[in-house]
Amino acid sequence: MNHKLSQRTIIRICSYVCAALIVLLGGLLRMQTKINHYERAIATDYLRAFSQVVTSVNRIDSAMQKELYVTSPAMIAQFSAEIQAEAATAQQAMAALPYADIELEQTASFLSKVGDYASALARAAAANGGLNDEEQSNLNSYALVSSQLCERLEELETQLNEGSLTLHTADEVKQRMSQLTEEDTDLGGGDFDLVENHFPEVPTMTYDGPFSDHLANSQPKVLAPLPEVTEAQAIASAASCMELREDLFTVDHAIDGEIPAYALSATVDGGELHCIVTKAGGLVMGITNSRAVGTPTISEDEAVSIAGAFLDRNGYETMEPTYLYNHDGRLTINFAHRQGEVLCYPDLCSITIALDNGGIVSFESTSYLSNHQDRSNDPPTLSSAEAKAKVSPRLTILKEQLAWIPTDGEYEVLCWEYICETDQGQHYVVCINADTGAEQKILILLEDENGTLAL
């Protein structure tokens, strides 16, 4: 039976369809309006972040130009603090730009170096009453780089403000980068090509800081004279260290880095055991064990004895426990090497013992392998009494000893170390340079029922 729609029904259906289309179109228009609004907001945020980078680099340049011609330690410290603050601000602003850590790699590296070097200059000026010729020359070189970088960034900012260049969104950068092959080293087409492709040459800097260029060429002192081992020898070393069978271990991969090594693994006690064995000498410098730790059955003193025996057995002699921290049934102990009457903090090992069975949960000896050496036994220039006079009278000295402590770079300084207490019972560590009498370092000891942390 044929049923034909009446003309009125057809008109009604068409009206409903048209109304639905109008509503849908309106929704799409509103959605597009929101998208456009978000895109403009993101673009504005990008421009604001880039503008902050430019502003901070300009301020760094201005401070460096002034610091070139000041002589007092107080003014050097003031301008160095400005440079550090603006470098940190610029790095924070760069973090808001899509993939700027890759596309502005040289700029980010320069900001890290210039902020750190400014801190080194402030320390040097305070210790020596000013800057020497080499430090002045290095500062002048950095000032030239900052001026050239300012010009590049300002030119790019001008293009952005004029609209002739637009900062890409994170999705656009991600899409472009995904099209690069492994052989590509040029991020051609990036927003920052003008800056990165014409980046001024940064001079080589050697100073006491973590970004000093000499650190890239430094060799671990313990490993330098040792021959390279095979994978089989690395397995034998790991098995001997952990007192396990060799057939339990496999070599996962080689590690290329500051300390070339082999990464090994084994399944032990229901957990995954990982060992890092140096290619030079086949020394175990890292251990992690993922097994679950049960209810503690051994004391902290027993755990310290187990850790000490492990170090002795593996060639880390005359190690002394310094700070302990107990967390979730695991006791972490930091050991430092003792040479006669002097504690050597650069020769540091960290070991974590499971308190349920005394097993090794983790071990790390990179600092020891990098720094351990026979040091001079020459007496310090300052006596303990002379050094004590440099400690704040508001602190009560509880314990003292001589100690080598690491600087911010790879150097180390002989100090008188004093464990002190405030009137409120808070403990501090004050290190007085044993040659100059300068306050070298001060640490706060955070102590609770779990142990002690030094900050």
Side-chain angles (χ1 to χ4, degrees), residues 2 6 12 16 32 60 69 82 84 137 214 220 225 282 286 319 349 376 388 392 417 428 435 439 449:
N2 295 329
S6 66
R12 185 177 299 163
Y16 290 156
Q32 186 60 48
I60 289 172
Y69 302 104
E82 290 180 20
Q84 282 183 276
S137 177
H214 78 284
M319 302 296 289
C349 290
S376 169
K388 280 181 182 178
S392 170
E417 180 190 63
Y428 282 74
D435 290 325
E439 290 178 314
E449 65 277 5

Side-chain angles (χ1 to χ4, degrees), residues 66-355:
K66 296 174 185 177
E67 192 168 10
L68 284 171
Y69 302 104
V70 298
T71 58
S72 70
M75 289 298 289
I76 292 172
Q78 176 183 325
F79 288 123
S80 292
E82 290 180 20
I83 292 168
Q84 282 183 276
E86 293 301 334
T89 300
Q91 288 174 300
Q92 185 177 12
M94 282 178 58
L97 297 171
Y99 290 82
D101 57 331
I102 297 175
E103 294 198 307
L104 276 172
E105 181 180 6
Q106 295 184 83
T107 305
S109 175
F110 173 74
L111 291 171
S112 297
K113 288 182 177 181
V114 77
D116 183 65
Y117 189 60
S119 175
L121 289 182
R123 293 194 301 270
N128 305 320
L131 302 180
N132 60 32
D133 292 341
E134 181 182 2
E135 290 160 346
Q136 282 280 5
S137 177
N138 289 342
L139 178 61
N140 185 66
S141 297
Y142 263 148
L144 291 174
V145 174
S146 68
S147 295
Q148 294 176 59
L149 180 58
C150 279
E151 293 179 10
R152 302 280 191 273
L153 291 172
E154 287 173 351
E155 186 176 346
L156 183 56
E157 185 179 34
T158 298
Q159 295 180 17
L160 291 170
N161 291 333
E162 291 176 348
S164 58
L165 182 67
T166 304
L167 286 176
H168 294 124
T169 66
D171 288 339
E172 290 172 328
V173 175
K174 184 176 181 180
Q175 181 180 2
R176 176 169 55 78
M177 293 180 66
S178 68
Q179 296 172 352
L180 298 178
T181 65
E182 292 183 359
E183 290 76 22
D184 285 331
T185 58
D186 179 18
L187 297 176
D191 302 317
F192 309 112
D193 283 352
L194 175 66
V195 176
E196 291 290 288
N197 290 347
H198 302 89
F199 200 90
E201 182 178 355
V202 180
T204 298
M205 294 289 182
T206 299
Y207 65 99
D208 187 18
F211 295 100
S212 175
D213 291 291
H214 78 284
L215 294 177
N217 301 317
S218 62
Q219 297 293 322
K221 294 180 173 62
V222 173
L223 302 178
L226 302 180
E228 185 167 322
V229 301
T230 64
E231 291 187 0
Q233 290 171 318
I235 289 176
S237 178
S240 174
C241 175
M242 298 302 295
E243 298 184 310
L244 295 170
R245 300 194 319 270
E246 291 184 21
D247 61 350
L248 293 175
F249 288 89
T250 58
V251 176
D252 295 331
H253 58 272
I255 300 173
D256 295 322
E258 293 183 7
I259 302 180
Y262 296 109
L264 285 65
S265 64
T267 301
V268 182
D269 295 334
E272 195 72 17
L273 174 67
H274 295 274
C275 293
I276 305 299
V277 180
T278 64
K279 288 186 177 181
L283 302 180
V284 176
M285 70 173 184
I287 298 170
T288 58
N289 193 332
S290 65
R291 78 167 182 86
V293 176
T295 303
T297 62
I298 65 174
S299 69
E300 290 188 357
D301 288 342
E302 290 174 310
V304 172
S305 295
I306 291 171
F310 172 85
L311 293 175
D312 287 340
R313 189 175 70 247
N314 288 285
Y316 296 91
E317 300 177 350
T318 325
M319 302 296 289
E320 183 174 304
T322 54
Y323 300 111
L324 314 179
Y325 194 75
N326 189 333
H327 180 66
D328 289 340
R330 300 169 174 85
L331 183 69
T332 297
I333 313 120
N334 288 327
F335 284 84
H337 171 66
R338 179 170 287 282
Q339 180 177 306
E341 298 300 316
V342 185
L343 194 63
C344 305
Y345 283 112
D347 302 2
L348 190 71
C349 290
S350 177
I351 185 168
T352 301
I353 302 294
L355 296 179

Side-chain angles (χ1 to χ4, degrees), residues 11-27:
I11 293 173
R12 185 177 299 163
I13 291 173
C14 290
S15 298
Y16 290 156
V17 171
C18 289
L21 289 173
I22 291 172
V23 172
L24 179 61
L25 181 60

